[in-house]
Amino acid sequence: MQTRSTAHPHPLALSASLSHPGEGGSPLVSLRGVKKTFANGTTALAGLDLGIRAGEFVSLLGPSGCGKSTALRILAGLMDASAGTVEWPGSGADADHRGEIGFVFQEPTLMPWANVADNVWLPLRLRGVSRKAAQGSIDECLDLVGLSGFHKSYPRELSGGMKMRVSIARALSLRPKLLLMDEPFAALDEITRFRLNDDLLHLQRDFGCTVVFVTHSVYESVYLSSRIVVMAARPGRVVAEIDVDAPRERDEEFRTTPLYGDLCRQASRALHGAMAPDEHL
Amino acid sequence: MDATAPARIDAPSPPARPRDWSAAWKVVLPLALFVLVLWGWETYVVANEVPPYILPAPSVIWATLLKDWPVLSVSLLTTLKTTFLGLILAVTGGVALAVLLSLSRLVEYSLYPYAVVLQVTPVVAISPLLLIYLPQEAAVLTCAWLVAFFPVLSNTTLGLQSVDRNLLELFDLYGATRPKGWPAFVGRFVTRLKALWYLRRPAALPYFLAGLKIAGGLSLIGAVVAEIAAGSAGAGSGLAYRIIESQYRLNIPRLFAALALLSLTGVVIFLALSALSHLLLRRWHESALGRER
């Protein structure tokens, strides 16, 4: 495992606290000793400690069943932990953080009866913002994901990648501090996935939000992250943390650097080292 | 952006292509068959000199329809009134109950079994009872309502429940605003109402429309069944009553004319409801989309 060291943020990055993410922007949210046992007795998480700092791009990397999605849902408040706490430093214990979170599912999860603009409007609409007042935000979010001009299209008229872009635009519409993504590109073809990876990097740079990204792809996690949290299953736990000591400004070239290969090897090794023998099939 | 850029985003109309004859055939073929059958029927009756009280020729039925129009039109109006009133009541009641069921498990558990009992009991068997307890018009209307009610209820209930789980979670995430100073359950109820209006209502629409299509036909059947039951008791004025009456009087051409009108009514109701369904769903629902080739 690599020692933490200073990365080089893009000059456009918004928050001052981003200048040394390796040493920690201000802590944004953390899970402390979080356990989750489901009603059927399955232990999804056995005491997870995870701190997220502002401006980070953290990947939760692991095989299916390692509790990475569960951790994400507990972070979002969509699920309650059986034990342990979710702490938001810098706000009261009772504060409602739901408005500060954007969530992207593996499926685009759009409303088929509503056009793109109305889909993006949904979170704002639920907060009582009229369509007219939301127009600016809708335009901006669609712009950010590269879909300006698609307001009137219906989900069925869009490709899988474009639907995912709409889903991301919707997650951005409340200007969240924290963007949670649950294997968002897993169902897409590789060409589209690479494209969306690049766009997500740019989007985080321009938008300046913190991202927690669940994936089972080693390559995706290395390409995107500033930090990779490797998890193992049965019971779900963290087995390694890897700092990606590379500039945040990345492109295809990055995939050919020795550092990239090195990090992929590290992550793979951590992943396989933690697997039970019967999982190596 | 190019990789996922759309090829056909603002192209609502498909590009010009050879004329699609299958649509034309769909209309022409059944019409041709209809004409052929009528012609065969007419020829058979004329050639064999079948008496009209056994089997009237189509031309005789047509003549009777014109001749008896003053009587038949009044009966048609009566049946139509019963059918539509029954349908409207069934839709209002069915949708209202479905919404109640979706909002409260308590209501669902206590009421739904009775809705099923009402449905599975054959209406023909209830109609004589209804005729005893209710004035005739009310009894006929109740029958039409009873049969049309259930498809609306069950389809709408199913539709209200078939919302994407993830979308509901999004509502939890974005929509859970608790009104200040109110207990938590009020907040939960408000969230549920929001989900009902923004999510469940549009998601249920295709299911509701499918139920409505069934209910339209059933409402007519309910009206006819009740009229027949009432007719055999010696009272009534609807088309089904005319059929019974014509049978007793051996006025078979008029029986056929009334039957043709009933059949036509059913067809018109079906077409109208199909058109409504297409109109409401054409932008987004699979059922309303043509297959692209």
Side-chain angles (χ1 to χ4, degrees):
Chain A
M1 210 167 305
Q2 184 163 329
T3 49
R4 295 183 192 285
S5 64
T6 313
H8 312 283
H10 189 268
L12 280 180
L14 298 183
S15 159
S17 64
L18 295 191
S19 49
H20 301 289
E23 283 149 20
S26 55
L28 181 65
V29 60
S30 36
L31 298 176
R32 296 256 174 271
V34 165
K35 292 182 186 155
K36 180 68 184 178
T37 308
F38 289 114
N40 61 14
T42 319
T43 303
L45 288 173
L48 178 68
D49 288 300
L50 178 66
I52 309 289
R53 292 182 296 276
E56 272 193 306
F57 193 118
V58 179
S59 283
L60 303 183
L61 171 68
S64 42
C66 72
K68 52 195 194 300
S69 293
T70 307
L72 203 66
R73 301 171 86 81
I74 290 175
L75 258 179
L78 286 173
M79 196 183 262
D80 291 323
S82 311
T85 51
V86 182
E87 287 167 15
W88 292 77
S91 60
D94 201 30
D96 187 9
H97 297 281
R98 296 186 159 196
E100 298 164 14
I101 295 173
F103 202 101
V104 179
F105 296 94
Q106 183 175 343
E107 294 85 31
T109 322
L110 303 176
M111 302 180 290
W113 55 82
N115 63 29
V116 165
D118 286 345
N119 266 293
V120 176
W121 176 35
L122 178 74
L124 291 163
R125 188 186 194 190
L126 288 173
R127 303 248 145 184
V129 182
S130 75
R131 180 69 166 73
K132 224 183 203 143
Q135 189 62 52
S137 300
I138 295 171
D139 291 347
E140 193 184 345
C141 292
L142 285 176
D143 223 30
L144 271 169
V145 298
L147 282 183
S148 27
F150 287 89
H151 295 68
K152 295 266 177 258
S153 307
Y154 280 76
R156 66 172 175 89
E157 299 166 327
L158 305 178
S159 67
M162 296 175 70
K163 279 186 213 164
M164 191 40 82
R165 286 170 189 277
V166 178
S167 188
I168 294 172
R170 179 180 59 193
L172 295 178
S173 67
L174 286 178
R175 310 205 121 269
K177 279 188 199 159
L178 180 61
L179 183 59
L180 304 176
M181 308 180 90
D182 191 358
E183 302 194 30
F185 310 142
L188 301 175
D189 63 274
E190 193 174 74
I191 299 168
T192 310
R193 196 163 64 233
F194 278 19
R195 199 96 211 180
L196 280 163
N197 281 170
D198 282 333
D199 289 347
L200 182 58
L201 280 175
H202 296 150
L203 194 144
Q204 197 215 3
R205 180 195 67 199
D206 297 343
F207 198 71
C209 60
T210 310
V211 183
V212 180
F213 188 93
V214 165
T215 179
H216 53 235
S217 160
V218 168
Y219 309 105
E220 195 172 54
S221 67
V222 172
Y223 190 67
L224 290 174
S225 314
S226 56
R227 184 156 60 105
I228 303 169
V229 175
V230 184
M231 296 178 71
R234 277 175 291 271
R237 64 196 188 280
V238 174
V239 291
E241 286 198 33
I242 301 170
D243 280 331
V244 179
D245 186 17
R248 290 298 293 150
E249 196 66 12
R250 295 169 191 175
D251 53 24
E252 283 302 314
E253 285 295 303
F254 180 52
R255 291 187 204 275
T256 61
T257 60
L259 176 64
Y260 178 80
D262 222 41
L263 289 165
C264 288
R265 218 162 325 166
Q266 269 189 54
S268 291
R269 208 170 296 143
L271 204 54
H272 287 279
M275 279 186 177
D278 62 320
E279 285 177 312
H280 281 288
L281 295 175
Chain B
M1 202 63 18
D2 304 312
T4 56
R8 50 181 189 94
I9 206 52
D10 29 36
S13 59
R17 60 176 180 200
R19 271 201 69 152
D20 191 357
W21 289 104
S22 72
W25 281 121
K26 268 187 187 165
V27 179
V28 170
L29 282 180
L31 273 181
L33 186 67
F34 183 67
V35 170
L36 197 71
V37 168
L38 281 191
W39 176 79
W41 181 350
E42 182 86 30
T43 329
Y44 171 79
V45 169
V46 171
N48 294 293
E49 294 177 3
V50 183
Y53 55 84
I54 304 263
L55 182 67
S59 57
V60 175
I61 299 173
W62 177 246
T64 312
L65 186 62
L66 294 181
K67 181 167 62 86
D68 291 352
W69 183 247
V71 181
L72 287 175
S73 62
V74 172
S75 299
L76 176 65
L77 270 182
T78 308
T79 304
L80 279 180
K81 215 174 85 188
T82 315
T83 304
F84 283 116
L85 219 55
L87 186 61
I88 289 169
L89 287 179
V91 167
T92 344
V95 170
L97 190 57
V99 167
L100 263 181
L101 297 186
S102 81
L103 283 178
S104 158
R105 295 254 158 221
L106 220 68
V107 181
E108 182 184 348
Y109 291 155
S110 25
L111 281 187
Y112 200 74
Y114 293 101
V116 177
V117 168
L118 267 185
Q119 169 64 16
V120 297
T121 310
V123 187
V124 199
I126 309 179
S127 55
L129 266 184
L130 290 175
L131 282 162
I132 295 176
Y133 297 130
L134 296 171
Q136 195 212 322
E137 271 181 33
V140 173
L141 186 60
T142 309
C143 262
W145 170 73
L146 270 182
V147 278
F149 173 73
F150 192 75
V152 176
L153 171 68
S154 66
N155 277 39
T156 310
T157 306
L158 181 68
L160 288 172
Q161 284 166 353
S162 47
V163 178
D164 190 331
R165 293 289 130 201
N166 286 339
L167 270 176
L168 282 174
E169 292 211 312
L170 269 189
F171 259 68
D172 261 2
L173 192 63
Y174 298 133
T177 43
R178 190 189 304 175
K180 285 231 154 53
W182 291 85
F185 75 89
V186 176
R188 275 201 299 277
F189 188 69
V190 169
T191 307
R192 216 180 273 185
L193 281 183
K194 276 188 194 167
L196 176 72
W197 186 253
Y198 293 136
L199 271 190
R200 295 186 191 273
R201 182 183 54 101
L205 186 64
Y207 295 83
F208 163 74
L209 288 168
L212 184 64
K213 248 193 260 184
I214 303 171
L218 281 182
S219 174
L220 179 64
I221 291 176
V224 165
V225 163
E227 276 178 18
I228 286 180
S232 55
S237 55
L239 273 179
Y241 169 73
R242 290 293 159 221
I243 287 178
I244 298 279
E245 182 199 49
S246 311
Q247 183 204 5
Y248 285 150
R249 298 181 181 173
L250 273 185
N251 190 348
I252 305 304
R254 187 193 270 189
L255 192 156
F256 267 99
L259 191 59
L261 277 180
L262 268 182
S263 184
L264 188 71
T265 307
V267 170
V268 169
I269 290 175
F270 179 81
L271 288 180
L273 293 179
S274 298
L276 177 73
S277 175
H278 183 79
L279 208 69
L280 290 176
L281 300 182
R282 75 205 141 100
R283 279 314 303 262
W284 64 275
H285 198 253
E286 297 295 336
S287 69
L289 302 176
R291 201 152 52 100
E292 282 196 33
R293 289 194 277 194

